[in-house]
């Protein structure tokens, strides 16, 4: 799937550039894209080191296990394949809470920690997504946002009379997408059961 | 709203304070544990580079070549049937691919039409209610070396499309 999307974006992009007569943009665009990716990853080192450090402290003190136990009823419904008080649950919950609060800098490291924990539980081959990973990412990308901080900032800067009036509509729309994400994940999990996918 | 904003402001300092103090009381060697955890940060970040480079290169070429514009033109007759303003279509297509790109379009729309215009409000809602699905999948799966995403692209995109349509509908009801 990703293979197909990736190839089509490249091939279509290069073809359109050739037809439009600006083939020279392809090379610049490719290299600037690579540069953006590396810059992002390097920036990630700082926040990852910081949050992984704090998370290790929390884990050794037993905080992660405690959080996992507190949210057990919800998570055992969403992630039937993950043991109830596994540290993955703690990281998943912290990632989703950070997302809800619009704390992007904290959300990413928590999410990557959750993926690492889920990978330990992956019963399939390590290069294939497990059911729990798919559910986690469906929730992550569709999660309700209570404070769309960036957009409120732009609205304030451009002189909006009521910068926060879009909060209600945003919450409604994300609630819809979250419901669809959970349903789609449930249905697709059956359709794409691992044995068939191989 | 103000309570939520207050929680967002205090959340991280409170977490830092509670975790370190609680760990210290529980006789964890806090400093050593922090170093041990932080040590893994470098590796995890570096591991994502090949995946991110692949995705950003493809998206960058697709955008710069004019293919994205062409795609927008091709589907806009269909979307206008559903009451979706043509101006927000590029935003809808850019959103799952690139967070920065989408934010650029949103900022542009808000500047051009004004934050309190219908387009401005709709673009604001769209920006807040959808996610950079491809980027998140690439980053998260990349950090653990997963290359087969199975059905997660489909569930992620169906959520984005729902968020897009729901935004258009709710904005039409509330702001028209």
């Amino acid at each position: 799937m990703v293979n197909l999307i990736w190839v089509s974006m490249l091939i279509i992009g290069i073809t359109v550039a050739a037809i439009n007569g600006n083939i020279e943009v392809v090379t610049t665009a490719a290299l600037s894209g690579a540069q953006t990716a590396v810059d992002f990853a390097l920036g990630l080192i700082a926040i990852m080191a910081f949050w992984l450090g704090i998370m290790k402290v929390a884990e050794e003190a037993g905080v992660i296990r405690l959080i996992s136990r507190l949210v057990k009823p919800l998570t055992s419904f969403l992630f039937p394949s993950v043991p109830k008080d596994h540290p993955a649950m703690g990281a998943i919950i912290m990632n989703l809470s950070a997302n809800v609060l619009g704390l992007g800098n904290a959300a990413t490291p928590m999410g990557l920690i959750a993926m690492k924990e889920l990978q330990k539980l992956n019963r399939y081959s390590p290069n294939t997504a497990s059911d729990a990973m798919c559910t986690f990412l469906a929730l992550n990308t569709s999660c309700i946002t209570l404070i769309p901080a960036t957009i409120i900032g732009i609205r304030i800067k451009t002189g909006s009379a009521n910068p926060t009036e879009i909060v209600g509509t945003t919450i409604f729309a994300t609630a819809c997408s979250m419901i669809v994400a959970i349903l789609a994940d449930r249905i697709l999990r059956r359709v794409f059961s691992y044995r068939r996918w191989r | 709203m103000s309570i939520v904003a207050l929680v967002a402001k205090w959340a991280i300092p409170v977490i830092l304070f509670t975790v370190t103090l609680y760990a210290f009381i529980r006789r964890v060697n806090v400093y050593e544990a922090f170093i041990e955890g932080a040590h893994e940060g470098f590796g995890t970040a570096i591991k994502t580079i090949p995946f991110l480079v692949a995705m950003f290169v493809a998206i960058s070429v697709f955008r710069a070549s004019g293919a994205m514009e062409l795609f927008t033109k091709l589907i806009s007759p269909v979307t206008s049937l559903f009451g979706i303003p043509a101006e927000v279509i590029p935003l809808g297509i850019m959103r799952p691919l690139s967070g920065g790109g989408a934010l650029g379009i949103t900022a542009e729309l808000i500047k051009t039409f004004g934050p309190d215009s219908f387009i401005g409000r709709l673009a604001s809602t769209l920006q807040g209610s959808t996610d950079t699905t491809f980027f998140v999948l690439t980053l998260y799966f990349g950090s653990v070396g997963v290359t087969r995403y199975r059905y997660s692209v489909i569930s992620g995109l169906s959520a984005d499309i729902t968020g897009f349509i729901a935004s258009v509908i709710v904005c039409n009801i509330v702001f028209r």
Side-chain angles (χ1 to χ4, degrees), chain B residues 59 63 90-91 94-95 97-107 127 132:
Chain B
I59 292 168
R63 266 179 75 184
L91 175 59
M94 183 66 89
R95 193 65 178 108
L97 297 174
S98 149
L103 194 61
I105 298 177
T106 305
Q127 178 72 31
T132 47

Side-chain angles (χ1 to χ4, degrees), chain B residues 46-156:
Chain B
I46 295 302
K47 211 171 167 186
T48 63
I49 289 181
F51 298 88
L52 291 175
V53 166
M55 198 45 81
F56 275 63
V57 163
I59 292 168
S60 182
V61 169
F62 192 71
R63 266 179 75 184
S65 65
M68 176 138 359
E69 260 171 78
L70 191 74
F71 190 59
T72 309
K73 258 180 220 152
L74 283 176
I75 70 161
S76 60
V78 184
T79 49
S80 64
L81 286 179
F82 297 98
I84 304 171
E87 291 86 348
V88 301
I89 298 296
L91 175 59
I93 293 167
M94 183 66 89
R95 193 65 178 108
L97 297 174
S98 149
L103 194 61
I105 298 177
T106 305
E108 195 59 42
L109 285 174
I110 292 179
K111 254 180 229 153
T112 314
F113 294 91
D116 300 324
S117 65
F118 179 71
I119 300 276
R121 287 161 165 170
L122 176 58
S124 305
T125 305
L126 283 174
Q127 178 72 31
S129 59
T130 47
D131 206 340
T132 47
T133 301
F134 277 98
F135 171 71
V136 171
L137 293 183
T138 309
L139 177 67
Y140 281 39
F141 279 138
S143 74
V144 290
V146 167
T147 49
R148 288 165 180 244
Y149 299 0
R150 290 171 71 209
Y151 52 87
S152 45
V153 175
I154 307 174
S155 46

